Amino acid sequence: MGVSLWRLILVSLAGIFFSPKHCACAFEKAPNFTFMHNATSAPNISYYDYIVIGGGTAGCPLATTLSQNHSVLLLERGGSPYGNPNITNLAAFGAALSDTSPTSPSQRFISQEGVINSRARVLGGGSCLNAGFYTRASPLYVTEAGWDGRLVNESYQWVERVVTFEPLMRQWQSAVRDGLLEIGVLPYNGFTYDHIIGTKVGGTIFDQQGHRHTAADLLEYANPNGITLLLHATVHRILFRNKGGSRPVACGVIFRDASGAEHRAYLKQGSRNEIIVSAGALGSPQILMLSGIGAAHHLREHNINVVLDQPLVGQGMSDNPMNAIFVPSPIPVEVSLIEVVGITNFGSYIEAASGENFAAGMFSPKIGQFSKVPPKQRTQEALAKAIKMMESLDQAAFRGGFILEKIMGPISTGYLELRNSDPNENPLVTFNYFQEPRDLERCVQGMRTIEKILESKAFSPFRYQNMPLSVLLNMTTSSPVNLLPKHTNASTTLEQFCRDTVMTIWHYHGGCQVGRVVDRDYKVLGVDALRVIDGSTFNYSPGTNPQATVMMLGRYMGVKILRERLAGDEKD
């Protein structure tokens, strides 16, 4: 049995690596955004009331909202998601993340620990690449953030009218749900966007035809006469002038188009006009540093003129560690992404994904990329053997899915530094996974919860009874889920299993945190006319999955800025 199991896991991985591309016949057409242009068409110099850097999960709703009353320039370094079936179709999940070309909507990076990860490089940001789960932050999170509860609810609803749906629950997800309830992850809260202890079915940004809806769709709300959206526009730095010879004031940006031509965009005259950075947890601290806001000694190492010595930029970086178990199934299962979540009372979230074609599975961007593991481990001979083995086995070998746990928080934090002064290059980031013992304890508790689900009556149809947990753990440990060194005792020690098989679930955050780099209005401390509004401002990840709250925050702050500006104009 041992030999066949090793063949099974290798072939399953090969199925991820080499599965054929999906049909491109069922993707949605691009909406008629008359304000969307390639940056090569931009003038050399232009002027706006607001300049938003980053057309991602926060930037799209933010720019859309501001465009109702003011001129807005939205700069996105990637291209359009529309017309790309690898983004739009649920069945192709993982394909965009697996694309390592220079024009890919996903830009690969590897943390200093060796965990493989991705950052978005496309209009709509991470909502174009993720597993689609939609769930709100808890009321406690909203209170601690100092947000207005009524406006938060209105902003969530504004998002939900365009991008969210109730998932069609099928056999695998239903079994996970019922297993959670059977082992006591209670109460059952049904279908809800709310963050409540117990088991629930959450929202999804995939509609019932399996088409993805993203933050870019929120641009449907935009005033076409108030917004200019430039694609393939990479911001190199923010420009500053000194206010009264002392305090820096953001006044413009330098960006380059796909041909490398330089453009400058400036704020129009007006004390309330602003530049807003919404470039994500890696991009926002990187742009601040490239613009001269960061630790002075670090900036000088890269020959960057210091505008503001701010050593907290890039600090407080966190990535919620995720660990999973691959579960072969004796019967076919549906292709499903995240639909059910068990919100435990000890700070671990239990979720699942499934499908015969693992290229559509939850973990293809991590364990499905020979191209991203060390060269010695991805020889042509190894690839050829994997393909041959895949072709020689029955399709039943591909059945199954994953049950995963992600810890709340996390408590462990790290830091981000510049690799160089090229904005196209990823910065260096260290997340310090499981540095805090409480994070590791929660992972172990989460894995024990998964073990109980696997042993539940509800899940029994999807479980080979002659495969004990130790075998399943070994299958996961022996897979190239990350670039960390493995330990032979990982299957007997859950603590070691958590450390050895840690992966990302793409919920990294921090780097421009509230109270450290920005104030509660998201204004950058120490300078004027500059804000950061995105997940880089979070002290910990909201809810079980952050995308709903990131989109909400873009809308929320857009409305708040408009209201404050209107009140100020009335006083003047």
Side-chain angles (χ1 to χ4, degrees):
M1 184 179 71
V3 174
S4 63
L5 286 176
W6 289 115
R7 285 164 59 87
L8 172 64
I9 191 66
L10 178 57
V11 170
S12 297
L13 293 173
I16 301 171
F17 308 146
F18 302 111
S19 59
K21 292 185 178 180
H22 291 269
C23 171
C25 55
F27 57 83
E28 296 176 310
K29 294 181 180 179
N32 185 25
F33 290 155
T34 57
F35 48 82
M36 184 167 70
H37 310 282
N38 195 299
T40 52
S41 67
N44 292 333
I45 298 177
S46 54
Y47 298 87
Y48 300 87
D49 296 328
Y50 292 97
I51 300 171
V52 178
I53 302 172
T57 317
C60 285
L62 174 64
T64 291
T65 303
L66 294 175
S67 74
Q68 301 306 315
N69 295 62
H70 302 281
S71 61
V72 179
L73 174 63
L74 178 59
L75 298 170
E76 168 52 46
R77 70 189 185 115
S80 169
Y82 299 107
N84 184 343
N86 289 340
I87 290 175
T88 304
N89 292 342
L90 182 150
F93 176 77
L97 285 155
S98 301
D99 180 2
T100 57
S101 69
T103 58
S104 170
S106 171
Q107 184 176 9
R108 182 75 59 188
F109 73 95
I110 301 175
S111 75
Q112 295 303 97
E113 297 93 345
V115 173
I116 303 167
N117 211 320
S118 293
R119 62 187 289 210
R121 183 170 50 193
V122 61
L123 183 69
S127 67
C128 296
L129 305 173
N130 63 25
F133 197 63
Y134 183 97
T135 180
R136 296 181 176 189
S138 68
L140 177 61
Y141 192 100
V142 172
T143 299
E144 291 182 345
W147 295 333
D148 176 273
R150 182 173 180 177
L151 181 55
V152 164
N153 286 335
E154 291 173 355
S155 299
Y156 275 126
Q157 292 166 6
W158 182 88
V159 171
E160 289 156 9
R161 283 194 290 271
V162 173
V163 305
T164 59
F165 306 87
E166 181 175 355
L168 296 172
M169 292 284 292
R170 294 173 63 190
Q171 62 266 31
W172 176 276
Q173 294 289 334
S174 296
V176 173
R177 176 198 61 199
D178 295 345
L180 283 163
L181 297 176
E182 183 180 327
I183 68 171
V185 183
L186 300 168
Y188 178 52
N189 297 305
F191 168 66
T192 178
Y193 296 145
D194 294 335
H195 184 91
I196 314 168
I197 292 288
T199 296
K200 74 167 189 173
V201 176
T204 177
I205 61 174
F206 289 97
D207 64 26
Q208 295 192 351
Q209 287 70 48
H211 295 158
R212 181 192 295 270
H213 296 257
T214 76
D217 293 3
L218 297 170
L219 290 163
E220 294 172 10
Y221 286 121
N223 172 9
N225 298 317
I227 187 170
T228 299
L229 164 59
L230 297 180
L231 301 175
H232 304 292
T234 302
V235 173
H236 281 241
R237 70 177 188 273
I238 300 165
L239 301 172
F240 295 90
R241 58 181 174 81
N242 283 347
K243 184 178 181 180
S246 57
R247 190 176 174 91
V249 181
C251 61
V253 300
I254 295 176
F255 65 95
R256 292 185 182 274
D257 61 31
S259 70
E262 181 179 297
H263 305 260
R264 295 189 177 218
Y266 293 98
L267 294 178
K268 292 179 180 178
Q269 292 294 321
S271 60
R272 296 187 178 89
N273 294 342
E274 294 178 307
I275 294 171
I276 305 174
V277 184
S278 298
L282 263 64
S284 290
Q286 180 185 29
I287 287 172
L288 290 188
M289 290 180 181
L290 293 176
S291 304
I293 300 177
H297 68 90
H298 181 56
L299 301 182
R300 292 190 183 106
E301 288 174 358
H302 294 279
N303 297 315
I304 297 171
N305 292 327
V306 179
V307 172
L308 178 70
D309 182 9
Q310 172 45 295
L312 295 178
V313 173
Q315 298 298 308
M317 297 296 301
S318 293
D319 186 26
N320 297 79
M322 185 268 286
N323 294 81
I325 295 180
F326 168 64
V327 187
S329 172
I331 62 174
V333 297
E334 76 269 22
V335 173
S336 71
L337 301 181
I338 308 299
E339 296 175 5
V340 172
V341 62
I343 301 174
T344 68
N345 57 12
F346 55 82
S348 177
Y349 306 134
I350 312 298
E351 302 172 353
S354 64
E356 288 188 8
N357 184 348
F358 288 113
M362 179 64 183
F363 303 101
S364 58
K366 303 168 192 71
I367 63 175
Q369 287 305 296
F370 267 178
S371 62
K372 286 301 170 184
V373 302
K376 291 181 180 179
Q377 299 178 29
R378 52 181 168 92
T379 64
Q380 289 301 316
E381 291 83 0
L383 297 183
K385 286 181 181 178
I387 294 172
K388 186 175 181 179
M389 189 174 290
M390 177 188 69
E391 292 174 343
S392 67
L393 289 189
D394 187 88
Q395 283 299 305
F398 299 97
R399 294 174 182 158
F402 294 82
I403 303 181
L404 65 92
E405 74 83 35
K406 162 201 159 182
I407 67 165
M408 184 178 72
I411 304 170
S412 304
T413 63
Y415 56 92
L416 177 149
E417 295 179 318
L418 294 176
R419 183 187 306 270
N420 52 42
S421 59
D422 184 353
N424 295 299
E425 293 274 347
N426 288 316
L428 302 171
V429 60
T430 302
F431 291 119
N432 289 323
Y433 297 101
F434 299 125
Q435 184 181 60
E436 294 291 334
R438 182 67 183 126
D439 288 342
L440 189 59
E441 291 171 10
R442 285 173 169 167
C443 178
V444 171
Q445 287 178 285
M447 297 310 300
R448 288 176 177 154
T449 302
I450 292 174
E451 180 179 7
K452 292 177 182 177
I453 295 171
L454 294 175
E455 294 172 348
S456 69
K457 181 179 179 180
F459 200 76
S460 59
F462 300 98
R463 175 79 185 275
Y464 284 103
Q465 297 306 312
N466 60 348
M467 286 189 185
L469 180 68
S470 60
V471 170
L472 299 180
L473 292 175
N474 269 328
M475 291 169 66
T476 303
T477 304
S478 62
S479 307
V481 296
N482 58 39
L483 306 186
L484 277 68
K486 301 296 185 291
H487 297 78
T488 55
N489 67 337
S491 64
T492 57
T493 307
L494 285 179
E495 287 84 357
Q496 197 62 58
F497 176 86
C498 286
R499 291 186 183 278
D500 284 1
T501 65
V502 63
M503 292 179 277
T504 186
I505 197 166
W506 313 295
H507 297 168
Y508 51 88
H509 53 279
C512 298
Q513 292 172 312
V514 172
R516 306 181 82 187
V517 176
V518 299
D519 65 16
R520 285 212 164 190
D521 291 320
Y522 301 91
K523 295 179 179 179
V524 177
L525 299 167
V527 300
D528 289 333
L530 182 63
R531 301 193 204 218
V532 178
I533 300 174
D534 60 20
S536 72
T537 65
F538 293 162
N539 292 302
Y540 64 99
S541 187
T544 60
N545 300 63
Q547 73 164 340
T549 302
V550 177
M551 286 190 274
M552 180 282 295
L553 180 62
R555 170 63 177 179
Y556 176 94
M557 283 306 301
V559 171
K560 190 173 181 183
I561 290 169
L562 290 180
R563 288 178 179 176
E564 291 173 352
R565 181 163 185 154
L566 180 62
D569 289 343
E570 289 175 352
K571 289 179 181 179
D572 292 346

